[in-house]
Amino acid sequence: MYAIAIHGGAGALPWQHLSLELQRRYDSALAVALDRGYAVLADGGSSLDAVTTAVRILEDDPLFNAGRGAALTREGTAELDAAIMDGNTLRAAGVAAVRHVQNPIELARRVMENSRHVLLVGAGAEEFALAEGFELVPNAYFRVPERQAELDLLRGGHSVSELMPVPSGTVGAVARDAHGNLAAATSTGGMADKHPGRVGDSPIIGAGTYARNGACAVSATGHGEFFMRLVAAHHICASVQYRGLSLQEAVHETIHEHLAALGGRGGIIAVDADGRMILDFNTEGMFRAARDSGGRREISL
Amino acid sequence: MYAIAIHGGAGALPWQHLSLELQRRYDSALAVALDRGYAVLADGGSSLDAVTTAVRILEDDPLFNAGRGAALTREGTAELDAAIMDGNTLRAAGVAAVRHVQNPIELARRVMENSRHVLLVGAGAEEFALAEGFELVPNAYFRVPERQAELDLLRGGHSVSELMPVPSGTVGAVARDAHGNLAAATSTGGMADKHPGRVGDSPIIGAGTYARNGACAVSATGHGEFFMRLVAAHHICASVQYRGLSLQEAVHETIHEHLAALGGRGGIIAVDADGRMILDFNTEGMFRAARDSGGRREISL
Protein backbone atom coordinates (compact mmCIF):
# COMPACT_ATOMS: atom_id res chain seq x y z
CA MET A 1 0.00 0.00 0.00
CA TYR A 2 1.32 3.42 -0.92
CA ALA A 3 -0.55 6.57 -0.06
CA ILE A 4 -0.39 10.35 -0.05
CA ALA A 5 -2.50 13.01 1.64
CA ILE A 6 -2.20 16.76 1.16
CA HIS A 7 -3.73 19.86 2.69
CA GLY A 8 -4.03 23.44 1.51
CA GLY A 9 -4.96 25.05 4.79
CA ALA A 10 -7.72 24.92 7.39
CA GLY A 11 -9.88 27.82 8.49
CA ALA A 12 -13.18 29.58 8.30
CA LEU A 13 -14.71 28.93 4.93
CA PRO A 14 -17.29 31.58 4.13
CA TRP A 15 -18.99 29.68 1.36
CA GLN A 16 -20.98 32.69 0.35
CA HIS A 17 -17.69 34.30 -0.70
CA LEU A 18 -16.18 31.22 -2.26
CA SER A 19 -17.71 31.26 -5.68
CA LEU A 20 -18.34 28.07 -7.61
CA GLU A 21 -15.57 29.21 -9.94
CA LEU A 22 -13.14 29.58 -7.02
CA GLN A 23 -14.23 26.24 -5.59
CA ARG A 24 -13.43 24.65 -8.93
CA ARG A 25 -10.01 26.28 -8.96
CA TYR A 26 -9.16 24.97 -5.49
CA ASP A 27 -10.46 21.53 -6.38
CA SER A 28 -8.40 21.47 -9.54
CA ALA A 29 -5.24 22.74 -7.82
CA LEU A 30 -5.50 20.12 -5.09
CA ALA A 31 -6.07 17.42 -7.74
CA VAL A 32 -2.90 18.38 -9.60
CA ALA A 33 -0.74 18.32 -6.46
CA LEU A 34 -2.32 15.07 -5.26
CA ASP A 35 -1.96 13.23 -8.54
CA ARG A 36 1.58 14.46 -9.22
CA GLY A 37 2.65 13.35 -5.75
CA TYR A 38 0.83 10.04 -6.20
CA ALA A 39 2.53 9.48 -9.55
CA VAL A 40 5.91 9.64 -7.82
CA LEU A 41 4.80 6.83 -5.50
CA ALA A 42 3.23 4.81 -8.35
CA ASP A 43 6.53 4.99 -10.23
CA GLY A 44 8.28 3.43 -7.23
CA GLY A 45 9.60 6.77 -5.99
CA SER A 46 10.20 7.69 -2.37
CA SER A 47 7.73 9.28 0.00
CA LEU A 48 10.30 12.06 0.40
CA ASP A 49 10.11 12.85 -3.33
CA ALA A 50 6.33 12.57 -3.33
CA VAL A 51 5.77 15.09 -0.53
CA THR A 52 8.38 17.45 -1.99
CA THR A 53 6.63 17.34 -5.36
CA ALA A 54 3.16 17.95 -3.96
CA VAL A 55 4.23 20.80 -1.69
CA ARG A 56 6.24 22.52 -4.41
CA ILE A 57 3.18 22.55 -6.67
CA LEU A 58 1.04 24.07 -3.91
CA GLU A 59 3.76 26.65 -3.18
CA ASP A 60 3.71 27.75 -6.81
CA ASP A 61 -0.07 28.20 -6.83
CA PRO A 62 -1.11 31.67 -5.58
CA LEU A 63 -4.38 30.22 -4.25
CA PHE A 64 -2.53 28.85 -1.22
CA ASN A 65 -0.72 30.50 1.68
CA ALA A 66 2.75 29.20 0.85
CA GLY A 67 5.34 30.34 -1.67
CA ARG A 68 3.58 32.63 -4.18
CA GLY A 69 0.39 33.89 -2.52
CA ALA A 70 1.79 33.79 1.00
CA ALA A 71 0.08 35.70 3.80
CA LEU A 72 1.84 38.98 4.60
CA THR A 73 3.44 40.24 7.79
CA ARG A 74 2.14 43.40 9.38
CA GLU A 75 4.85 45.20 7.40
CA GLY A 76 3.46 43.86 4.14
CA THR A 77 6.28 41.49 3.29
CA ALA A 78 6.18 37.75 2.76
CA GLU A 79 8.24 35.65 5.21
CA LEU A 80 8.19 31.96 4.44
CA ASP A 81 8.65 28.83 6.54
CA ALA A 82 8.95 25.18 5.48
CA ALA A 83 10.15 21.82 6.76
CA ILE A 84 10.60 18.25 5.62
CA MET A 85 11.29 15.01 7.47
CA ASP A 86 12.33 11.53 6.38
CA GLY A 87 10.72 8.95 8.67
CA ASN A 88 13.21 6.27 7.68
CA THR A 89 16.39 8.01 8.81
CA LEU A 90 14.88 10.73 11.03
CA ARG A 91 16.77 13.23 8.93
CA ALA A 92 14.91 16.52 8.93
CA ALA A 93 15.30 20.21 8.22
CA GLY A 94 13.41 23.44 8.16
CA VAL A 95 13.87 27.01 7.00
CA ALA A 96 12.09 30.01 8.48
CA ALA A 97 11.60 33.71 7.85
CA VAL A 98 13.07 33.54 4.35
CA ARG A 99 12.00 36.29 1.97
CA HIS A 100 13.55 35.52 -1.37
CA VAL A 101 13.49 31.75 -1.93
CA GLN A 102 10.93 30.75 -4.54
CA ASN A 103 10.32 27.26 -3.15
CA PRO A 104 11.08 27.08 0.56
CA ILE A 105 10.41 23.33 0.59
CA GLU A 106 13.28 22.82 -1.86
CA LEU A 107 15.56 24.83 0.41
CA ALA A 108 14.48 22.84 3.47
CA ARG A 109 15.29 19.65 1.62
CA ARG A 110 18.70 21.03 0.62
CA VAL A 111 19.43 21.99 4.22
CA MET A 112 18.57 18.41 5.20
CA GLU A 113 20.80 16.91 2.53
CA ASN A 114 23.73 19.30 2.28
CA SER A 115 24.20 20.99 5.64
CA ARG A 116 24.97 19.87 9.16
CA HIS A 117 22.04 21.87 10.47
CA VAL A 118 18.33 21.22 11.03
CA LEU A 119 17.00 24.78 11.05
CA LEU A 120 18.25 27.86 9.21
CA VAL A 121 16.46 31.20 9.45
CA GLY A 122 16.41 34.59 7.77
CA ALA A 123 19.37 36.01 5.88
CA GLY A 124 21.56 33.10 6.99
CA ALA A 125 19.19 30.65 5.31
CA GLU A 126 19.34 32.73 2.13
CA GLU A 127 23.13 32.83 2.30
CA PHE A 128 23.03 29.03 2.34
CA ALA A 129 20.57 29.05 -0.57
CA LEU A 130 22.91 31.21 -2.66
CA ALA A 131 25.90 29.01 -1.83
CA GLU A 132 23.84 26.03 -3.01
CA GLY A 133 23.07 27.69 -6.33
CA PHE A 134 19.49 28.78 -5.66
CA GLU A 135 18.44 31.93 -7.50
CA LEU A 136 16.75 34.41 -5.21
CA VAL A 137 13.57 36.20 -6.25
CA PRO A 138 12.30 39.62 -5.16
CA ASN A 139 9.85 39.58 -2.26
CA ALA A 140 7.24 41.02 -4.63
CA TYR A 141 7.15 37.63 -6.37
CA PHE A 142 5.22 36.20 -3.41
CA ARG A 143 2.77 39.04 -2.93
CA VAL A 144 -0.63 38.83 -4.61
CA PRO A 145 -3.44 41.43 -4.42
CA GLU A 146 -5.73 39.11 -2.42
CA ARG A 147 -3.17 38.92 0.41
CA GLN A 148 -2.70 42.68 0.45
CA ALA A 149 -6.49 43.01 0.72
CA GLU A 150 -6.49 40.47 3.56
CA LEU A 151 -3.85 42.48 5.40
CA ASP A 152 -5.75 45.74 4.84
CA LEU A 153 -8.91 44.13 6.25
CA LEU A 154 -7.07 42.91 9.34
CA ARG A 155 -5.54 46.32 9.88
CA GLY A 156 -9.01 47.80 9.60
CA GLY A 157 -10.18 45.54 12.42
CA HIS A 158 -12.20 43.24 10.18
CA SER A 159 -12.21 39.49 10.44
CA VAL A 160 -10.25 37.77 7.73
CA SER A 161 -13.05 35.32 7.15
CA GLU A 162 -15.17 38.10 5.71
CA LEU A 163 -13.00 37.99 2.64
CA MET A 164 -10.49 35.20 2.54
CA PRO A 165 -11.39 31.55 2.56
CA VAL A 166 -8.40 30.25 4.52
CA PRO A 167 -6.90 32.74 6.96
CA SER A 168 -4.46 30.36 8.55
CA GLY A 169 -3.85 28.30 5.47
CA THR A 170 -0.64 26.39 5.03
CA VAL A 171 0.17 23.57 2.66
CA GLY A 172 1.51 20.16 3.47
CA ALA A 173 1.80 16.55 2.45
CA VAL A 174 2.39 13.19 4.11
CA ALA A 175 3.12 9.93 2.33
CA ARG A 176 3.97 6.27 2.69
CA ASP A 177 5.84 4.75 -0.23
CA ALA A 178 5.90 1.15 -1.47
CA HIS A 179 9.01 0.49 0.64
CA GLY A 180 7.12 1.46 3.79
CA ASN A 181 9.00 4.71 4.32
CA LEU A 182 7.09 7.68 5.71
CA ALA A 183 7.72 11.37 5.01
CA ALA A 184 6.12 14.71 5.82
CA ALA A 185 6.50 18.22 4.39
CA THR A 186 4.88 21.54 5.23
CA SER A 187 5.22 25.06 3.80
CA THR A 188 3.57 28.34 4.72
CA GLY A 189 3.56 32.09 4.65
CA GLY A 190 2.38 31.91 8.24
CA MET A 191 -0.24 33.99 9.92
CA ALA A 192 -1.51 37.13 8.16
CA ASP A 193 -0.49 40.35 9.95
CA LYS A 194 2.17 38.43 11.90
CA HIS A 195 5.06 40.15 13.63
CA PRO A 196 8.16 40.15 11.42
CA GLY A 197 10.41 37.29 12.53
CA ARG A 198 7.48 35.24 13.82
CA VAL A 199 8.00 31.56 13.17
CA GLY A 200 5.06 29.17 13.36
CA ASP A 201 4.76 25.43 13.72
CA SER A 202 5.35 24.45 10.09
CA PRO A 203 9.20 24.54 10.10
CA ILE A 204 9.49 23.11 13.61
CA ILE A 205 10.22 19.38 13.68
CA GLY A 206 7.72 17.82 16.08
CA ALA A 207 5.27 20.76 16.04
CA GLY A 208 3.83 21.13 12.52
CA THR A 209 5.92 18.51 10.71
CA TYR A 210 7.10 15.06 11.82
CA ALA A 211 7.69 11.60 10.39
CA ARG A 212 8.92 8.37 11.92
CA ASN A 213 8.74 4.94 10.32
CA GLY A 214 6.72 2.56 12.44
CA ALA A 215 4.68 5.41 13.90
CA CYS A 216 3.32 8.02 11.51
CA ALA A 217 3.91 11.13 9.42
CA VAL A 218 2.08 14.36 10.22
CA SER A 219 1.59 17.81 8.69
CA ALA A 220 -0.44 20.45 10.51
CA THR A 221 -2.25 23.63 9.52
CA GLY A 222 -3.97 26.25 11.61
CA HIS A 223 -3.03 28.45 14.54
CA GLY A 224 0.60 27.39 14.76
CA GLU A 225 1.36 28.71 18.24
CA PHE A 226 -0.95 26.08 19.75
CA PHE A 227 0.59 23.25 17.76
CA MET A 228 4.02 24.41 18.98
CA ARG A 229 3.00 24.40 22.64
CA LEU A 230 1.48 20.93 22.21
CA VAL A 231 4.44 19.64 20.17
CA ALA A 232 1.46 18.28 18.27
CA ALA A 233 2.97 16.29 15.40
CA HIS A 234 5.37 14.41 17.67
CA HIS A 235 2.66 13.90 20.26
CA ILE A 236 0.42 12.20 17.71
CA CYS A 237 3.21 9.84 16.60
CA ALA A 238 4.20 9.12 20.22
CA SER A 239 0.55 8.32 21.01
CA VAL A 240 0.42 5.83 18.13
CA GLN A 241 3.77 4.31 19.07
CA TYR A 242 3.52 4.21 22.85
CA ARG A 243 -0.16 4.37 23.85
CA GLY A 244 -1.56 1.93 21.33
CA LEU A 245 -3.94 4.54 19.93
CA SER A 246 -4.99 4.24 16.32
CA LEU A 247 -3.89 7.15 14.15
CA GLN A 248 -7.53 8.21 13.97
CA GLU A 249 -7.79 8.29 17.77
CA ALA A 250 -4.48 10.12 18.22
CA VAL A 251 -5.32 12.82 15.68
CA HIS A 252 -8.86 13.21 17.02
CA GLU A 253 -7.65 13.65 20.61
CA THR A 254 -5.04 16.23 19.63
CA ILE A 255 -7.43 18.35 17.58
CA HIS A 256 -10.72 17.98 19.40
CA GLU A 257 -9.41 17.75 22.97
CA HIS A 258 -5.90 19.19 23.40
CA LEU A 259 -6.02 21.91 20.74
CA ALA A 260 -9.60 22.81 21.63
CA ALA A 261 -8.71 23.02 25.35
CA LEU A 262 -6.12 25.71 24.59
CA GLY A 263 -8.55 27.54 22.32
CA GLY A 264 -6.69 26.67 19.14
CA ARG A 265 -8.09 25.84 15.73
CA GLY A 266 -6.62 23.94 12.85
CA GLY A 267 -6.28 20.67 11.04
CA ILE A 268 -3.98 17.69 10.67
CA ILE A 269 -3.20 15.24 7.91
CA ALA A 270 -1.39 12.05 8.84
CA VAL A 271 -0.50 8.62 7.53
CA ASP A 272 0.46 5.59 9.60
CA ALA A 273 2.89 2.73 9.02
CA ASP A 274 0.26 0.76 7.10
CA GLY A 275 -0.69 3.63 4.83
CA ARG A 276 -3.94 4.54 6.57
CA MET A 277 -4.62 8.26 6.20
CA ILE A 278 -6.48 10.60 8.54
CA LEU A 279 -7.53 14.15 7.62
CA ASP A 280 -9.22 15.93 10.54
CA PHE A 281 -9.87 19.53 11.68
CA ASN A 282 -11.90 21.64 14.08
CA THR A 283 -12.27 24.58 11.71
CA GLU A 284 -15.17 25.10 9.33
CA GLY A 285 -13.24 23.50 6.56
CA MET A 286 -9.89 22.26 5.34
CA PHE A 287 -8.70 22.05 1.75
CA ARG A 288 -7.58 18.43 1.61
CA ALA A 289 -7.09 15.43 -0.62
CA ALA A 290 -5.97 11.82 -0.31
CA ARG A 291 -5.12 8.98 -2.66
CA ASP A 292 -3.79 5.47 -2.14
CA SER A 293 -2.96 2.33 -4.10
CA GLY A 294 -6.09 0.66 -2.72
CA GLY A 295 -8.19 2.89 -4.96
CA ARG A 296 -9.12 5.68 -2.54
CA ARG A 297 -9.08 9.12 -4.16
CA GLU A 298 -10.89 12.06 -2.65
CA ILE A 299 -10.68 15.83 -2.73
CA SER A 300 -12.63 17.97 -0.26
CA LEU A 301 -12.92 21.67 0.55
CA MET B 1 9.42 19.17 47.74
CA TYR B 2 10.83 21.98 45.62
CA ALA B 3 13.87 21.48 43.48
CA ILE B 4 16.08 23.06 40.84
CA ALA B 5 18.74 21.66 38.54
CA ILE B 6 20.97 23.65 36.21
CA HIS B 7 23.54 22.89 33.55
CA GLY B 8 26.32 24.91 32.00
CA GLY B 9 26.99 22.75 28.98
CA ALA B 10 28.15 19.24 28.16
CA GLY B 11 31.16 18.32 26.10
CA ALA B 12 34.70 17.10 25.99
CA LEU B 13 36.45 18.17 29.15
CA PRO B 14 40.20 18.16 28.64
CA TRP B 15 41.10 18.25 32.29
CA GLN B 16 44.71 18.90 31.53
CA HIS B 17 43.66 22.28 30.15
CA LEU B 18 41.11 23.07 32.82
CA SER B 19 43.30 24.47 35.55
CA LEU B 20 42.38 24.15 39.19
CA GLU B 21 41.75 27.88 39.12
CA LEU B 22 39.33 27.53 36.20
CA GLN B 23 37.62 24.56 37.86
CA ARG B 24 37.09 26.70 40.93
CA ARG B 25 35.60 29.48 38.83
CA TYR B 26 33.13 27.11 37.14
CA ASP B 27 32.22 25.56 40.47
CA SER B 28 31.64 28.97 42.00
CA ALA B 29 29.59 30.26 39.05
CA LEU B 30 27.35 27.19 39.11
CA ALA B 31 26.90 27.59 42.87
CA VAL B 32 25.74 31.19 42.50
CA ALA B 33 23.18 30.36 39.80
CA LEU B 34 21.97 27.29 41.68
CA ASP B 35 21.55 29.00 45.03
CA ARG B 36 19.95 32.14 43.59
CA GLY B 37 17.44 29.98 41.71
CA TYR B 38 16.86 27.87 44.80
CA ALA B 39 16.29 30.98 46.91
CA VAL B 40 13.39 31.94 44.63
CA LEU B 41 11.78 28.57 45.34
CA ALA B 42 12.54 28.74 49.08
CA ASP B 43 10.82 32.13 49.20
CA GLY B 44 7.68 30.55 47.77
CA GLY B 45 8.40 31.85 44.26
CA SER B 46 7.42 30.11 41.04
CA SER B 47 9.48 27.61 39.12
CA LEU B 48 9.19 30.01 36.19
CA ASP B 49 10.95 32.75 38.18
CA ALA B 50 13.54 30.30 39.52
CA VAL B 51 14.64 29.06 36.10
CA THR B 52 14.63 32.59 34.68
CA THR B 53 16.86 33.77 37.53
CA ALA B 54 19.35 30.91 37.22
CA VAL B 55 19.64 31.16 33.44
CA ARG B 56 20.05 34.94 33.48
CA ILE B 57 22.99 34.59 35.89
CA LEU B 58 24.64 32.00 33.64
CA GLU B 59 24.02 34.19 30.58
CA ASP B 60 25.85 37.08 32.27
CA ASP B 61 28.88 34.93 33.11
CA PRO B 62 31.39 34.80 30.22
CA LEU B 63 32.48 31.31 31.29
CA PHE B 64 29.37 29.85 29.67
CA ASN B 65 28.20 29.65 26.07
CA ALA B 66 25.13 31.85 26.47
CA GLY B 67 24.72 35.61 26.60
CA ARG B 68 28.14 37.13 27.22
CA GLY B 69 30.75 34.54 26.23
CA ALA B 70 28.60 32.95 23.52
CA ALA B 71 30.18 30.77 20.87
CA LEU B 72 30.67 32.59 17.58
CA THR B 73 29.33 31.90 14.11
CA ARG B 74 31.73 31.25 11.27
CA GLU B 75 31.48 34.99 10.54
CA GLY B 76 32.64 35.81 14.05
CA THR B 77 29.38 37.19 15.38
CA ALA B 78 27.31 36.02 18.33
CA GLU B 79 23.80 34.79 17.52
CA LEU B 80 21.78 33.84 20.56
CA ASP B 81 18.88 31.45 21.17
CA ALA B 82 16.74 30.92 24.27
CA ALA B 83 13.40 29.48 25.34
CA ILE B 84 11.23 29.10 28.39
CA MET B 85 8.17 26.98 29.16
CA ASP B 86 5.60 26.99 31.94
CA GLY B 87 4.49 23.41 32.65
CA ASN B 88 1.33 24.56 34.39
CA THR B 89 -0.26 26.45 31.49
CA LEU B 90 1.84 25.07 28.61
CA ARG B 91 2.65 28.66 27.75
CA ALA B 92 6.03 28.82 26.07
CA ALA B 93 8.22 30.99 23.91
CA GLY B 94 11.61 31.15 22.30
CA VAL B 95 13.82 33.63 20.52
CA ALA B 96 16.52 32.72 18.03
CA ALA B 97 19.32 34.31 16.06
CA VAL B 98 19.21 37.53 18.08
CA ARG B 99 22.41 39.59 18.10
CA HIS B 100 21.81 42.50 20.41
CA VAL B 101 19.72 41.35 23.38
CA GLN B 102 21.76 41.14 26.55
CA ASN B 103 19.62 38.46 28.20
CA PRO B 104 17.84 36.34 25.61
CA ILE B 105 16.00 34.42 28.34
CA GLU B 106 14.35 37.66 29.46
CA LEU B 107 13.24 38.31 25.90
CA ALA B 108 11.88 34.77 25.55
CA ARG B 109 9.87 35.27 28.70
CA ARG B 110 8.55 38.60 27.41
CA VAL B 111 7.51 36.97 24.13
CA MET B 112 5.65 34.37 26.18
CA GLU B 113 3.90 36.95 28.31
CA ASN B 114 3.32 39.89 25.96
CA SER B 115 3.02 38.55 22.42
CA ARG B 116 0.67 36.16 20.62
CA HIS B 117 3.65 34.26 19.25
CA VAL B 118 5.80 31.35 20.43
CA LEU B 119 8.96 31.92 18.40
CA LEU B 120 10.48 35.16 17.13
CA VAL B 121 13.77 35.21 15.24
CA GLY B 122 16.40 37.67 14.07
CA ALA B 123 15.69 41.33 13.47
CA GLY B 124 11.98 40.78 14.06
CA ALA B 125 12.69 39.51 17.56
CA GLU B 126 14.83 42.59 18.23
CA GLU B 127 12.08 44.84 16.90
CA PHE B 128 9.80 43.26 19.50
CA ALA B 129 12.48 43.74 22.16
CA LEU B 130 12.74 47.44 21.38
CA ALA B 131 8.97 47.87 21.43
CA GLU B 132 8.98 46.23 24.87
CA GLY B 133 11.57 48.66 26.17
CA PHE B 134 14.65 46.42 26.07
CA GLU B 135 17.89 48.27 25.46
CA LEU B 136 19.96 46.65 22.76
CA VAL B 137 23.69 46.10 23.16
CA PRO B 138 26.40 45.92 20.49
CA ASN B 139 27.28 42.43 19.33
CA ALA B 140 30.77 43.00 20.72
CA TYR B 141 29.28 42.79 24.22
CA PHE B 142 28.90 39.03 23.80
CA ARG B 143 32.31 38.31 22.27
CA VAL B 144 35.15 37.26 24.53
CA PRO B 145 38.75 36.42 23.47
CA GLU B 146 38.38 32.75 24.41
CA ARG B 147 35.54 32.34 21.92
CA GLN B 148 37.51 34.08 19.17
CA ALA B 149 40.38 31.69 19.89
CA GLU B 150 37.98 28.76 19.74
CA LEU B 151 36.73 29.93 16.34
CA ASP B 152 40.29 30.43 15.06
CA LEU B 153 41.17 26.91 16.17
CA LEU B 154 38.15 25.44 14.39
CA ARG B 155 38.97 27.37 11.24
CA GLY B 156 42.51 26.00 11.47
CA GLY B 157 41.13 22.48 11.45
CA HIS B 158 41.84 21.84 15.11
CA SER B 159 39.47 20.15 17.49
CA VAL B 160 37.81 22.51 19.90
CA SER B 161 38.51 20.18 22.79
CA GLU B 162 42.19 20.97 22.47
CA LEU B 163 41.48 24.32 24.00
CA MET B 164 37.97 24.84 25.19
CA PRO B 165 36.34 22.83 27.93
CA VAL B 166 32.78 22.85 26.64
CA PRO B 167 32.50 23.08 22.86
CA SER B 168 28.76 22.60 22.68
CA GLY B 169 27.98 24.26 25.97
CA THR B 170 24.61 25.79 26.61
CA VAL B 171 23.00 26.78 29.88
CA GLY B 172 19.68 25.71 31.27
CA ALA B 173 17.54 25.16 34.32
CA VAL B 174 14.55 23.06 35.31
CA ALA B 175 12.56 23.43 38.50
CA ARG B 176 9.57 22.26 40.49
CA ASP B 177 8.15 24.80 42.92
CA ALA B 178 6.25 24.27 46.18
CA HIS B 179 2.96 24.49 44.27
CA GLY B 180 3.99 21.57 42.10
CA ASN B 181 4.44 23.63 38.96
CA LEU B 182 7.25 22.69 36.59
CA ALA B 183 9.27 25.01 34.36
CA ALA B 184 12.25 24.80 32.01
CA ALA B 185 14.55 27.39 30.46
CA THR B 186 17.53 27.14 28.12
CA SER B 187 19.88 29.72 26.58
CA THR B 188 22.83 29.38 24.22
CA GLY B 189 25.16 30.90 21.71
CA GLY B 190 24.83 27.64 19.79
CA MET B 191 27.53 25.71 18.04
CA ALA B 192 30.91 27.37 17.47
CA ASP B 193 31.62 28.04 13.78
CA LYS B 194 27.91 27.60 12.99
CA HIS B 195 26.34 28.88 9.80
CA PRO B 196 24.75 32.31 10.33
CA GLY B 197 21.03 31.81 10.86
CA ARG B 198 21.49 28.31 12.28
CA VAL B 199 19.03 27.61 15.07
CA GLY B 200 19.66 24.74 17.46
CA ASP B 201 17.46 22.81 19.86
CA SER B 202 17.52 25.29 22.77
CA PRO B 203 14.77 27.67 21.55
CA ILE B 204 12.62 24.90 20.09
CA ILE B 205 9.77 23.83 22.37
CA GLY B 206 9.91 20.04 22.58
CA ALA B 207 13.50 19.71 21.34
CA GLY B 208 15.84 21.37 23.88
CA THR B 209 13.25 22.85 26.23
CA TYR B 210 9.95 21.44 27.48
CA ALA B 211 7.82 21.41 30.63
CA ARG B 212 4.48 19.85 31.42
CA ASN B 213 2.97 19.48 34.87
CA GLY B 214 2.33 15.84 35.70
CA ALA B 215 5.14 14.72 33.40
CA CYS B 216 8.45 16.54 33.61
CA ALA B 217 10.56 19.57 32.72
CA VAL B 218 13.65 19.17 30.52
CA SER B 219 16.59 21.28 29.35
CA ALA B 220 19.14 19.83 26.94
CA THR B 221 22.71 20.65 25.98
CA GLY B 222 24.95 19.20 23.33
CA HIS B 223 24.74 18.65 19.59
CA GLY B 224 21.39 20.33 19.07
CA GLU B 225 20.59 18.95 15.64
CA PHE B 226 20.21 15.46 17.11
CA PHE B 227 17.94 16.64 19.90
CA MET B 228 15.80 18.37 17.27
CA ARG B 229 15.44 15.26 15.13
CA LEU B 230 14.52 13.24 18.23
CA VAL B 231 12.19 15.95 19.59
CA ALA B 232 14.08 14.86 22.69
CA ALA B 233 12.62 16.96 25.50
CA HIS B 234 9.04 16.15 24.55
CA HIS B 235 9.92 12.51 23.97
CA ILE B 236 11.26 12.20 27.50
CA CYS B 237 8.13 13.73 29.01
CA ALA B 238 5.87 11.59 26.79
CA SER B 239 7.80 8.50 27.90
CA VAL B 240 7.23 9.38 31.55
CA GLN B 241 3.57 10.20 30.97
CA TYR B 242 2.55 7.45 28.58
CA ARG B 243 5.02 4.58 28.90
CA GLY B 244 5.29 4.47 32.66
CA LEU B 245 9.05 4.97 32.52
CA SER B 246 10.73 6.65 35.46
CA LEU B 247 12.37 9.96 34.61
CA GLN B 248 15.72 8.27 35.09
CA GLU B 249 14.83 5.54 32.57
CA ALA B 250 13.41 8.00 30.05
CA VAL B 251 16.44 10.29 30.15
CA HIS B 252 18.85 7.34 30.04
CA GLU B 253 17.17 5.82 27.00
CA THR B 254 17.14 9.12 25.10
CA ILE B 255 20.81 9.87 25.74
CA HIS B 256 22.43 6.46 25.77
CA GLU B 257 20.26 4.75 23.16
CA HIS B 258 18.47 7.17 20.84
CA LEU B 259 21.03 9.99 20.79
CA ALA B 260 23.92 7.54 20.67
CA ALA B 261 22.28 5.63 17.77
CA LEU B 262 22.28 8.82 15.66
CA GLY B 263 25.85 9.59 16.66
CA GLY B 264 24.92 12.56 18.82
CA ARG B 265 26.47 13.69 22.07
CA GLY B 266 25.09 15.79 24.86
CA GLY B 267 23.38 15.95 28.20
CA ILE B 268 19.98 16.44 29.78
CA ILE B 269 18.74 17.83 33.06
CA ALA B 270 15.17 17.05 34.07
CA VAL B 271 12.81 17.13 37.01
CA ASP B 272 9.62 15.11 37.40
CA ALA B 273 6.27 15.89 39.00
CA ASP B 274 7.56 14.78 42.42
CA GLY B 275 10.70 16.90 42.28
CA ARG B 276 13.11 14.07 41.46
CA MET B 277 15.99 15.37 39.39
CA ILE B 278 18.08 13.56 36.76
CA LEU B 279 21.32 14.93 35.28
CA ASP B 280 22.75 12.62 32.65
CA PHE B 281 25.09 12.87 29.63
CA ASN B 282 27.15 10.81 27.19
CA THR B 283 29.94 13.36 26.88
CA GLU B 284 33.11 13.39 28.97
CA GLY B 285 31.54 15.84 31.35
CA MET B 286 28.73 18.25 32.00
CA PHE B 287 28.79 21.34 34.17
CA ARG B 288 25.79 20.69 36.41
CA ALA B 289 24.26 21.33 39.79
CA ALA B 290 21.13 20.37 41.69
CA ARG B 291 19.47 21.36 44.94
CA ASP B 292 16.18 20.45 46.58
CA SER B 293 14.24 21.04 49.77
CA GLY B 294 15.07 17.52 50.93
CA GLY B 295 18.65 18.64 51.53
CA ARG B 296 20.34 17.52 48.31
CA ARG B 297 22.90 20.01 47.03
CA GLU B 298 25.57 19.02 44.56
CA ILE B 299 27.76 20.70 41.98
CA SER B 300 29.75 18.66 39.47
CA LEU B 301 31.97 19.38 36.49
Side-chain angles (χ1 to χ4, degrees), chain A residues 90 117 197 225 229 235 242, chain B residues 90 117 121 225 229 235 242:
Chain A
L90 298 184
H117 298 318
E225 276 72 7
R229 291 165 59 193
H235 190 270
Y242 297 132
Chain B
L90 298 184
H117 297 319
V121 304
E225 276 72 8
R229 291 165 58 193
H235 189 269
Y242 297 132

Side-chain angles (χ1 to χ4, degrees), chain A residues 270-281:
Chain A
V271 61
D272 72 11
D274 298 321
R276 274 184 296 260
M277 295 178 286
I278 300 295
L279 303 88
D280 199 359
F281 50 96

